[in-house]
Amino acid sequence: MTLRTSLLLPVLLPLGLAAVPVAAQEADGTRTVPVAIDGAGQAAPAQSPASPAAVDEARDPATPAEPQPRDGAQAAPSPGDSQDGQDAPAPADPPGAREPEQVAPGAAPDDDAVAGPSDDPDAVESATTRVPLEEIRRYVGLFNAIRAGYVDPVDDRKLMDAAIRGLLLDLDPHSAYLEKNAAQAFNEGTTGAYDGIGVEVLQLPDGKVRVIAPIDDTPAAKAGIRAGDVIVSVDGRELRPADAEGAGPLRGPPGSSLVLGVVREGEAQPLQITVRRETIRVASVRGRMLEPGYGYVRISAFQVETGEDFSRTVAKLRDDAGGRLRGLVIDLRSNPGGLLTAAVRVADDLLDKGRIVSTRGRIDANDTEFNATPGDLLEGAPVVVLIDAGSASASEVLAGALHDHGRARIVGSRSFGKGSVQTLLPLGNGDAVKLTTARYYTPSGRSIQARGIDPDVVLKPEGDDGQAAGPRQTEAALPGHLRGDEEEGASAGDVLPGEGPIQAALAELKKPAAPRAAAAAN
């Protein structure tokens, strides 16, 4: 019997970007099949997706690397996870799919590979469409040896689940197998409501979790958890790889408390931080006036309602300014990403034309492009975007789009550098696979993978002692990360907490804008 792996691709990878999220990163940018960075807005894809999608980290900056999903659930930011992504439900049976063809009588089966007919009449036999039979035999032999000889009985399902997770383990930091609870938790990231402490995290191979960023006004932020912290224990028990299964140890009933063991750069011993869980309802957009005529908008994550909330917030600030703003600061610091379509919507609100972002993968279905439509909410008023090392995935999409078009100046520190798209592939049992399927590119055609967005004006963090206020972090430092086109020589950025960077951005906003031709492709 022969089976060609290309028969599985139409089932697993209908990867178009989508308008309505079903599951969220590590925007991710993360798509689902069901897409999350990485929500629908006026922006129109230049190319229609292969099938309807449901939404980065990204939420794995780490998430950022999309980041992993919030509060330790496997998945996503980025400063994500994530994305940190996009989702498009995969059809149960792709058109034209056929049962594996039996070997004709008298024909010698291929001992070297399991292969077979493709549903694509133009398909060409290649090594990439063949599964080596010898490797299958090796796996089955090991499976049987473990089942028969391990010191304690091992459930077949447990062994198979471990094997499936192993398929993804060494691909990159943002591809992961999500059991049902983790997949549900991943979906919660797009709506902004769940029970936990309010952090975007990246799951590390040893079971510990790295904080991509604490979410504004959540228990984690109030308790002093910082971007770059590594949570090594919960309630005195060291975290292990098995703790990553399901919703994770940071989730739990509202009102319950937990003591986190936190390793922080510059601290000789792990910190013990008590955090009380709450139902986290994240308002991803907040705004205020900095000075008469000058507005400020903070975007903490890209969720389903972020695009609409941004438009509403800007309209209110404009009314407060007497009908017209003289300038706007957009704060994306420690924003790990989220839904790509939400970032596209915000960019479209500030651009009249041109490409916003494009994605490129190994198959045509992953090659998409979003273009701006006419209409600028600020009517050309200057914009400054504030970023730091915790800005990842969808945050980098927005910053890159505005910068390449000459629409905004970038102030802060080099961003995280998560330039990949994750697609969520739902399985029939409620589990899902979060798979990296594409890289995304700014309007000028530049990939920020493992490089990040470089600011026009660089800010340095200042602690009470004049030292850096947080650990330096970057996608390029993650083991197994995708190689970037420009990562060589790229140094990590800094986390920039506090009010000082906002005032620096305001000062830059007031400066006359130097004429600059947009680098973006039309």
Side-chain angles (χ1 to χ4, degrees), residues 62 64 79 211-214 225-229 333-335 387-391 412-416 459-463 467-474 492-498 501:
V211 175
I212 296 164
I225 300 295
R226 298 180 185 175
D229 284 349
R333 289 176 299 166
S334 293
N335 178 330
I387 63 172
D388 70 1
S391 306
S413 185
R414 177 174 286 152
S415 62
F416 185 76
L459 302 180
K460 290 294 184 181
E462 290 286 331
Q467 299 299 312
R472 298 164 70 83
Q473 52 184 325
T474 173
D494 295 296
V495 176
L496 301 172

Side-chain angles (χ1 to χ4, degrees), residues 61-65 67 77-79 199-202 204 208-215 224-232 261-267 271 273 334 336 388-391 416 469-474 478 493-497:
T63 213
S78 182
V199 286
E200 302 284 352
V201 300
L202 175 70
L204 301 178
K208 300 175 178 61
V209 292
R210 183 183 299 277
V211 175
I212 296 164
I215 300 168
I225 300 295
R226 298 180 185 175
D229 284 349
V230 176
I231 300 173
V232 298
V262 174
V263 172
R264 178 174 295 168
E265 188 173 291
E267 298 288 345
L271 305 175
I273 300 177
S334 293
D388 70 1
S391 306
F416 185 76
R472 298 164 70 83
Q473 52 184 325
T474 173
L478 297 177
D494 295 296
V495 176
L496 301 172

Side-chain angles (χ1 to χ4, degrees), residues 103-468:
V103 178
D110 187 343
D111 287 336
D112 297 325
V114 178
S118 169
D119 57 342
D120 180 358
D122 298 321
V124 177
E125 188 71 38
S126 72
T128 60
T129 62
R130 300 167 66 86
V131 178
L133 185 58
E134 188 58 38
E135 295 305 311
I136 294 177
R137 288 175 176 150
R138 186 161 67 103
Y139 166 75
V140 172
L142 180 59
F143 183 94
N144 287 332
I146 294 172
R147 184 171 57 176
Y150 186 67
V151 62
D152 292 323
V154 183
D155 181 72
D156 286 355
R157 170 65 187 273
K158 183 177 180 180
L159 277 179
M160 190 62 70
D161 286 347
I164 293 172
R165 285 194 295 270
L167 287 173
L168 300 157
L169 189 60
D170 290 336
L171 294 180
D172 70 277
H174 309 296
S175 295
Y177 186 87
L178 308 182
E179 294 187 352
K180 184 176 181 178
N181 289 341
Q184 291 172 345
F186 191 63
N187 288 337
E188 292 171 0
T190 63
T191 62
Y194 64 97
D195 296 335
I197 66 172
V199 286
E200 302 284 352
V201 300
L202 175 70
Q203 188 70 50
L204 301 178
D206 60 1
K208 300 175 178 61
V209 292
R210 183 183 299 277
V211 175
I212 296 164
I215 300 168
D216 294 348
D217 297 324
T218 62
K222 294 172 184 176
I225 300 295
R226 298 180 185 175
D229 284 349
V230 176
I231 300 173
V232 298
S233 66
V234 174
D235 292 332
R237 190 179 66 82
E238 183 178 352
L239 294 179
R240 294 180 170 82
D243 293 316
E245 299 178 6
L250 303 183
R251 298 291 185 94
S256 59
S257 295
L258 65 167
V259 178
L260 304 179
V262 174
V263 172
R264 178 174 295 168
E265 188 173 291
E267 298 288 345
Q269 297 294 329
L271 305 175
Q272 299 298 311
I273 300 177
T274 300
V275 187
R276 185 181 179 87
R277 296 183 182 97
E278 295 178 2
T279 296
I280 308 298
R281 294 184 177 88
V282 180
S284 64
V285 180
R286 302 195 317 271
R288 58 187 169 95
M289 297 300 297
L290 295 175
E291 289 183 5
Y294 292 96
Y296 167 85
V297 172
R298 162 68 178 167
I299 304 177
S300 60
F302 288 94
Q303 300 170 348
V304 175
E305 303 297 333
T306 298
E308 183 178 346
D309 289 345
F310 176 80
S311 301
R312 186 184 304 113
T313 300
V314 170
K316 183 180 184 304
L317 293 175
R318 196 172 51 207
D319 291 342
D320 292 344
R324 182 180 175 86
L325 286 168
R326 298 173 63 187
L328 180 69
V329 173
I330 300 176
D331 188 350
L332 300 178
R333 289 176 299 166
S334 293
N335 178 330
L339 302 182
L340 175 61
T341 45
V344 167
R345 165 72 184 271
V346 173
D348 189 37
D349 280 344
L350 300 172
L351 296 171
D352 277 319
K353 63 179 181 179
R355 183 184 303 146
I356 294 173
V357 65
S358 60
T359 68
R360 304 175 206 164
R362 290 180 60 204
I363 60 177
D364 291 344
N366 291 332
D367 295 345
T368 58
E369 183 177 302
F370 285 93
N371 291 328
T373 55
D376 178 353
L377 290 181
L378 297 180
E379 300 176 344
V383 176
V384 165
V385 175
L386 185 56
I387 63 172
D388 70 1
S391 306
S393 199
S395 297
E396 295 170 298
V397 167
L398 176 58
L402 297 180
H403 185 263
D404 280 6
H405 282 284
R407 186 65 185 88
R409 283 168 283 174
I410 309 297
V411 172
S413 185
R414 177 174 286 152
S415 62
F416 185 76
K418 182 181 180 294
S420 61
V421 177
Q422 281 68 48
T423 299
L424 197 64
L425 310 173
L427 306 178
N429 62 352
D431 295 354
V433 170
K434 182 163 68 76
L435 187 67
T436 298
T437 54
R439 289 177 171 88
Y440 65 74
Y441 294 81
T442 69
S444 63
R446 177 172 171 256
S447 167
I448 59 87
Q449 171 62 23
R451 169 78 188 197
I453 299 293
D454 293 303
D456 299 306
V457 178
V458 177
L459 302 180
K460 290 294 184 181
E462 290 286 331
D464 293 339
D465 57 359
Q467 299 299 312

